[in-house]
Amino acid sequence: MTAEFEIQGIGVGELAERYGTPLYVYDGDALAAHFQRLRALLHPRAEIFFSLKANPNISVCALLGAQGARAEISSMTELITARRAGIEPENIIFLGPGKSREELAACLDEGIHAIICESLGELDLIDELARERGTTADVALRVNPSFSVKGSGLTMGGKPRQFGIDEAQLLDLPDLTERHPQVRLMGVQVYLGTRILDEDVIAENTGRILDLAERIAEKLGFPLELVDFGGGFGVAYFDGERDLDPEALAARLNPVIEAFAARHPATRLINELGRYLTAPFGTYVTRVRYVKTSMNENFAVVDGGTNHHMAAVGIGSFVKRNFPIQLLDRTDEEATESWNITGPLCTPNDTLGKKAKLPALRPGDLIGVLRSGAYGPTASPVHFLSHGYPAEVLVAGGRSHLVGEREQAGDLLRRQHLYVPENPATQDN
Ligand SMILES: *Cc1c(COP(=O)(O)O)cnc(C)c1O
């Protein structure tokens, strides 16, 4: 018996045998414990909303919901997912620059806490839909601030963006509330970027957003019942990165929140988090099909690739940076070799790991891409080359549960309709 990667005492070999590969495995107990730790450290007035975009699996959502997470959603399916996962409408907000009439109508009909409005045209449409229903809509404005901050993987703010309404435009519209009688403006949302790994940057962002929210609400004359100060908490993926220190983060952030909370005793404060809640607790498990060499480099061709895990290509970078990659069986063997880990797609970009340090590999080995619980299959071209969706397994309470079916050929073909040409030509006439 050699050492192998385990999740709550279940060997990865057993999971691979039972559910097949490629496979996403989520450690539900670790996910819940991480949420509770953050919950205990973060200022009690700051509510944690899970951004379903990061991992919309309904069981992941339900598990977080059972821990007290609320939901930040951006599509009709995410709304249905959050509701079926047991999250109450008063703990759901809907955000996104291109909401459809149907999505906005569903927000009103479900009675979610607030629609986060991203344009003046959207505000007109919400007003119209609320009038049709003889109701008023609770709406928070997403603001594109004049300032930006450094230290984020993707910087928002201070730039032309399709998201939100420019701060300057809003400050120029003091009659906005009167123009939309069926809309009750009640909050402000700002999202300044993702993958932030600096505690000071997060605290500074939050302070500036809270100030901005006060300015906007005062100028436009609406009550500040909600401020969503975004999030964008990062997770270390690459060499040289370090994880946020939750204690240090809370020590910087909580005083900023406290100052605002004391001035606004009834305002709901929202912290939207996706990646930070789920990324560390997912592993993408693939099996080696072939090993080969090309021009003195080692290649292990595995059964899944960037079709399931596009982020592993290396986020926003021209130089390929590897996600943490590990041999999951024989974990006691030393990483003495250099391996390119490539998938089944017919494109050179289908590379999960470039020159990754690994032990000698052989067919049948299980290779894991760690920290893969966010922006996995749903953020990947799962239908490229028609391999379809991988299986998803949640381990909770020491037991494994299939929470996402592997797509089969029939699933992919079911939504296509065969047009049969009437007079087919053949190549030999
Ligand atoms: C994507 C997104 C999130 C989640 O971002 P993470 O970096 O995964 O936490 C939150 N809010 C908005 C507006 C987003 O677009």
Side-chain angles (χ1 to χ4, degrees):
M1 213 30 222
T2 53
E4 68 168 341
F5 185 86
E6 291 183 348
I7 294 166
Q8 296 171 36
I10 305 176
V12 71
E14 185 186 326
L15 295 173
E17 197 66 34
R18 179 156 177 202
Y19 301 103
T21 55
L23 171 73
Y24 270 87
V25 185
Y26 309 119
D27 184 339
D29 291 8
L31 190 100
H34 177 70
F35 182 89
Q36 286 309 335
R37 175 151 186 245
L38 180 67
R39 183 58 282 164
L41 286 168
L42 201 61
H43 193 288
R45 285 280 301 279
E47 299 178 48
I48 303 171
F49 276 58
F50 174 46
S51 302
L52 265 70
K53 181 178 75 180
N55 189 329
N57 184 283
I58 193 166
S59 292
V60 170
C61 185
L63 195 142
L64 281 167
Q67 299 301 317
R70 290 84 158 90
E72 179 258 293
I73 54 166
S74 299
S75 69
M76 185 72 92
T77 306
E78 286 187 357
L79 173 59
I80 297 167
T81 304
R83 291 293 294 117
R84 287 199 189 158
I87 298 180
E88 296 298 331
E90 65 263 29
N91 290 323
I92 297 177
I93 56 171
F94 197 121
L95 165 164
K99 302 176 198 79
S100 67
R101 173 181 279 268
E102 289 69 29
E103 286 166 339
L104 290 169
C107 289
L108 297 177
D109 296 339
E110 281 284 327
I112 68 165
H113 184 63
I115 298 170
I116 312 290
C117 174
E118 307 227 14
S119 67
L120 297 174
E122 184 187 337
L123 204 57
D124 293 340
L125 180 54
I126 297 169
D127 192 55
E128 177 191 322
L129 292 167
R131 184 174 313 108
E132 280 171 18
R133 284 165 175 72
T135 175
T136 53
D138 283 351
V139 171
L141 297 171
R142 180 168 185 180
V143 182
N144 180 32
S146 310
F147 58 84
S148 73
V149 287
K150 291 190 172 54
S152 133
L154 169 78
T155 308
M156 307 268 195
K159 273 188 194 165
R161 285 287 185 204
Q162 71 269 48
F163 307 111
I165 307 170
D166 284 2
E167 174 184 351
Q169 276 178 36
L170 279 174
L171 293 174
D172 228 21
L173 292 167
D175 61 340
L176 194 62
T177 46
E178 290 96 81
R179 278 203 245 160
H180 300 92
Q182 307 299 123
V183 166
R184 203 175 72 84
L185 293 180
M186 42 69 87
V188 168
Q189 189 269 5
V190 178
Y191 179 71
L192 280 177
T194 183
R195 300 224 321 110
I196 307 173
L197 288 170
D198 182 324
E199 295 85 359
D200 289 318
V201 169
I202 291 172
E204 189 192 328
N205 279 353
T206 305
R208 297 182 76 162
I209 291 167
L210 295 174
D211 289 347
L212 173 65
E214 276 181 340
R215 273 206 307 284
I216 300 262
E218 194 182 14
K219 179 82 181 200
L220 300 186
F222 63 78
L224 206 49
E225 293 173 16
L226 175 167
V227 181
D228 177 342
F229 55 85
F233 296 9
V235 162
Y237 293 120
F238 308 119
D239 280 348
E241 290 184 341
R242 79 162 172 90
D243 272 327
L244 288 165
D245 171 351
E247 259 113 28
L249 176 63
R252 308 273 201 299
L253 188 55
N254 287 351
V256 176
I257 295 172
E258 175 54 34
F260 183 91
R263 282 200 302 279
H264 300 273
T267 304
R268 271 185 98 167
L269 289 165
I270 293 180
N271 194 184
E272 312 164 349
L273 299 173
R275 187 188 318 274
Y276 187 75
L277 297 182
T278 61
F281 313 107
T283 306
Y284 179 49
V285 180
T286 64
R287 200 183 280 283
V288 177
R289 284 194 173 140
Y290 306 100
V291 293
K292 61 204 267 189
T293 59
S294 171
M295 312 229 174
N296 293 322
E297 287 191 21
N298 292 322
F299 286 80
V301 184
V302 300
D303 56 7
T306 52
N307 52 322
H308 297 157
H309 199 330
M310 195 64 193
V313 157
I315 300 164
S317 158
F318 290 105
V319 186
K320 161 90 177 127
R321 297 187 293 174
N322 287 337
F323 261 56
I325 290 186
Q326 200 185 313
L327 174 62
L328 301 178
D329 32 26
R330 299 181 281 114
T331 50
D332 47 352
E333 281 186 27
E334 238 179 288
T336 53
E337 299 189 355
S338 172
W339 284 86
N340 296 307
I341 308 298
T342 61
L345 306 185
C346 305
T347 155
N349 296 331
D350 190 21
T351 300
L352 291 172
K354 198 167 176 66
K355 296 188 178 168
K357 290 276 162 281
L358 290 162
L361 299 181
R362 48 192 192 231
D365 278 344
L366 293 171
I367 302 286
V369 184
L370 310 186
R371 314 210 114 200
S372 298
Y375 303 106
T378 59
S380 303
V382 288
H383 290 150
F384 195 35
L385 274 87
S386 302
H387 289 295
Y389 228 86
E392 292 175 284
V393 168
L394 175 72
V395 182
R399 292 182 53 193
S400 66
H401 308 268
L402 182 65
V403 295
E405 300 263 353
R406 181 183 310 288
E407 262 180 336
Q408 308 292 343
D411 299 320
L412 275 75
L413 283 166
R414 194 165 301 125
R415 50 169 294 284
Q416 297 183 35
H417 303 289
L418 177 63
Y419 163 73
V420 182
E422 276 170 32
N423 298 305
T426 56
Q427 284 204 33
D428 44 38
N429 44 346

